[in-house]
Amino acid sequence: MSEETIFSKIIRQEIATPLLYQDDLVTAFRDISPKAKSHILIIPNKLIPTINDVAEDDELCLGRMVTVAKKLAKEEGIDEGGYRLIFNCNEDGGQEVYHIHMHLVGGEPLGPMLSI
Ligand code: 5GP
C-alpha cells in the first residue's frame, strides 16, 4: 500500500497551506521552496506515488493537471513570457515527495532544460 505524504494533509487542509486551486480531481499550491519567481505544484487528489504508477484510469486527472497549469499560468501573468511544466520520477529524476506533482515554474528566463 502507498504511504501518504505531506501532500495528502495539504489536500485535506490538515496543514494550512493556501490553495490556489482545488476541484474534485486536483489541488494546486505554491512550492514551499520556490526555484523560480513563480513556482506552483499541481497534484492529483488521489495518491499516485510516481509517474510509473499512473494508470489509464488516471488520464482525466492528468489532463486536468495540464488545464489547471494553463489557467494558473495565465493568472500568474507568466503565460505569454513562458514557463516549464516538470514531473520528477524516482531517485535519478530527483523526486523527493512520493505523491506525483507537476511543477509549474516561470516568471523569469529558466535557462537550459538540464544541467547535469
Ligand atoms: P520533487 O523533488 O519531489 O519533484 O519536488 C517536491 C517539491 O515539494 C519540492 O520543490 C519542495 O520544495 C516541495 N515541498 C516539499 N514539502 C512541501 C510542503 O510541505 N509544502 C509545500 N508547499 N511544498 C513542499
Side-chain angles (χ1 to χ4, degrees):
M1 206 180 87
S2 306
E3 280 188 30
E4 281 196 352
T5 72
I6 194 152
F7 287 178
S8 293
K9 292 191 169 65
I10 291 174
I11 290 164
R12 295 194 296 263
Q13 288 286 276
E14 291 165 11
I15 292 178
T17 297
L19 301 183
L20 300 179
Y21 181 89
Q22 187 167 53
D23 65 18
D24 55 322
L25 292 176
V26 308
T27 297
F29 49 90
R30 293 193 190 281
D31 196 291
I32 202 168
S33 175
K35 310 297 185 299
K37 279 187 185 158
S38 183
H39 187 170
I40 293 170
L41 300 175
I42 301 155
I43 72 177
N45 294 339
K46 170 189 172 186
L47 171 52
I48 305 171
T50 79
I51 289 291
N52 290 336
D53 302 303
V54 168
E56 269 183 39
D57 279 357
D58 300 320
E59 285 175 359
L60 180 63
C61 180
L62 268 81
R64 182 73 59 84
M65 289 167 78
V66 174
T67 54
V68 169
K70 170 192 149 181
K71 169 184 150 60
L72 292 176
K74 189 169 176 58
E75 285 177 13
E76 289 282 285
I78 63 172
D79 54 332
E80 294 297 329
Y83 53 90
R84 195 169 285 161
L85 301 176
I86 304 166
F87 282 101
N88 294 323
C89 182
N90 278 339
E91 202 177 334
D92 282 357
Q95 186 173 1
E96 291 170 6
V97 178
Y98 282 78
H99 181 137
I100 64 166
H101 44 282
M102 178 188 283
H103 297 259
L104 163 59
V105 284
E108 59 189 314
L110 296 173
M113 191 167 70
L114 295 174
S115 57
I116 293 175

